[in-house]
Amino acid sequence: MKKFVALLVGGVFAVSATSVFAVETCVKCHKTMDKVAENIKKSGAKSADELVDFLRNKSAKKALHKSVKDEDIKKAFAEAGKK
């Protein structure tokens, strides 16, 4: 039973850590998650896929955003939605 609980806690930590690292990618340049959320609102994206499309094809910094993984952008969109 103790092993099961330890595995469960470890799994929860791993999942939460990956979402933190994804957001960390955006925060490197944008400094705070609030700034990321503000930029998402300015983009007018209503879904994570729209945000990926905007950042890769329509934003002023589209060349920089091409190096960011789709999953990271989608996780940042989800995190910004929580705020």
Side-chain angles (χ1 to χ4, degrees), residues 15-73:
V15 169
S16 66
T18 56
S19 111
V20 169
F21 291 129
V23 173
E24 204 172 277
T25 301
C26 299
V27 175
K28 282 182 186 176
C29 296
H30 297 287
K31 305 298 180 207
T32 66
M33 195 58 202
D34 291 335
K35 185 67 174 169
V36 173
E38 180 182 321
N39 289 341
I40 291 172
K41 285 181 186 176
K42 286 181 184 178
S43 76
K46 302 290 184 213
S47 70
D49 291 327
E50 285 182 19
L51 181 62
V52 171
D53 179 56
F54 174 80
L55 292 176
R56 298 275 168 75
N57 302 313
K58 301 170 188 161
S59 74
K61 305 282 184 176
K62 61 186 169 189
L64 292 172
H65 289 105
K66 290 193 187 271
S67 65
V68 180
K69 296 178 185 176
D70 287 359
E71 304 89 50
D72 291 346
I73 294 171

